[in-house]
Amino acid sequence: MFRSFLLKAVYKQISYHPAVTKQLCRHPFQFHPERGMHSRNKKAMEYIARGWNALQEVDRVIDYCELNDKRLIPSLRTAKENFELALEADNSNTHARYWLSKLHLKYHVPGACKAVGAALLVEAAEMGDPDAQFELGCRLRVENEYVQSDQQAFYYLEKAVDQLHPGALYLLGAVYLTGDCVKRDVGSALWCFHRASEKGHAGAAIAYGSLLLQGTLSPIVIFFRER
């Protein structure tokens, strides 16, 4: 009885979703693994949103108190727990890895460990998260005075630029403009500043405008001239 009722309901939807209902008619009780994946990802994003909100509350007041102020601990613990729950719900989620790495590396959260934070950051960068790639590129350039890590930093920055990360575009533009670690290329710098300014990066917009005022051709003009 229930089976016939279900099939009648399915047939009513044929005019709206013919491809889907045809599949359901053949296998009305078939399990679709994509549904489970979508559910896990949705749950993980809910945990990330809660953790991010707690972290925003910390960032709102952290400039007006000590970094290890005990009043920050409840919010930091909430953020850490939610990012960890997000990873439990979906271990492939790169956003959860990135934000959890920031907690370990930047904040005085109970149980923080620099080694764990670094490992999470590298994992997130290798998995393709542009924020993690940009963060890792910056840390490799800044925190290793006696280690030749510039090429590694440049590698991760380029990965983030491929995904049009505005911060990475701006930093790579500055690298090309100054000729630091690479051959000086004003055209490439201009292109990076232009794309970053389109993404809303204020510093890139200023740099792009300054270069144009100095008489440097816009990448759009160069493109049409070459054609």
Side-chain angles (χ1 to χ4, degrees):
M1 181 66 128
F2 179 74
R3 182 186 176 89
S4 62
F5 174 77
L6 178 62
L7 288 174
K8 283 179 184 177
V10 167
Y11 286 132
K12 283 183 181 179
Q13 299 299 318
I14 290 178
S15 59
Y16 299 100
H17 305 286
V20 175
T21 49
K22 230 179 251 187
Q23 179 70 16
L24 285 172
C25 290
R26 292 196 196 98
H27 308 284
F29 300 102
Q30 184 179 8
F31 173 72
H32 295 281
E34 292 84 1
R35 292 176 185 167
M37 188 182 300
H38 174 73
S39 177
R40 290 195 301 273
N41 184 261
K42 183 179 178 182
K43 193 68 178 175
M45 294 308 291
E46 288 176 2
Y47 284 128
I48 290 171
R50 292 175 196 165
W52 187 81
N53 286 334
L55 206 54
Q56 286 293 103
E57 183 62 25
V58 172
D59 287 338
R60 188 177 66 84
V61 299
I62 200 168
D63 291 335
Y64 307 100
C65 60
E66 296 294 328
L67 292 176
N68 56 353
D69 195 313
K70 292 182 179 180
R71 291 172 294 180
L72 300 177
I73 290 178
S75 294
L76 288 170
R77 186 177 283 121
T78 299
K80 184 172 181 285
E81 288 173 356
N82 277 283
F83 293 143
E84 288 172 344
L85 286 169
L87 273 181
E88 287 180 16
D90 182 8
N91 193 46
S92 64
N93 193 294
T94 59
H95 299 301
R97 270 184 172 76
Y98 168 66
W99 286 108
L100 190 56
S101 75
K102 285 202 76 169
L103 271 177
H104 282 283
L105 292 170
K106 181 180 177 182
Y107 300 91
H108 287 72
V109 61
C113 175
K114 299 286 186 183
V116 171
L120 286 167
L121 185 62
V122 172
E123 281 182 3
E126 291 293 337
M127 291 171 73
D129 187 89
D131 291 322
Q133 290 167 345
F134 174 61
E135 180 86 11
L136 184 56
C138 291
R139 286 182 176 274
L140 285 170
R141 281 180 60 83
V142 173
E143 295 183 359
N144 294 270
E145 295 179 6
Y146 305 105
V147 179
Q148 296 298 322
S149 59
D150 284 339
Q151 291 304 317
Q152 284 182 310
F154 194 72
Y155 168 79
Y156 285 110
L157 285 175
E158 281 194 316
K159 288 287 186 183
V161 165
D162 288 341
Q163 301 187 65
L164 299 180
H165 187 282
L169 282 164
Y170 173 65
L171 185 56
L172 191 61
V175 168
Y176 276 125
L177 188 63
T178 58
D180 183 17
C181 308
V182 295
K183 184 180 178 181
R184 190 169 187 268
D185 188 344
V186 179
S188 295
L190 197 65
W191 181 87
C192 289
F193 292 145
H194 174 62
R195 296 309 298 268
S197 64
E198 287 183 332
K199 293 283 183 179
H201 197 287
I206 294 170
Y208 180 62
S210 299
L211 286 173
L212 291 179
L213 287 173
Q214 291 173 18
T216 309
L217 289 177
S218 165
I220 300 172
V221 174
I222 295 171
F223 172 75
F224 281 108
R225 279 196 175 184
E226 288 176 351
R227 293 186 67 184

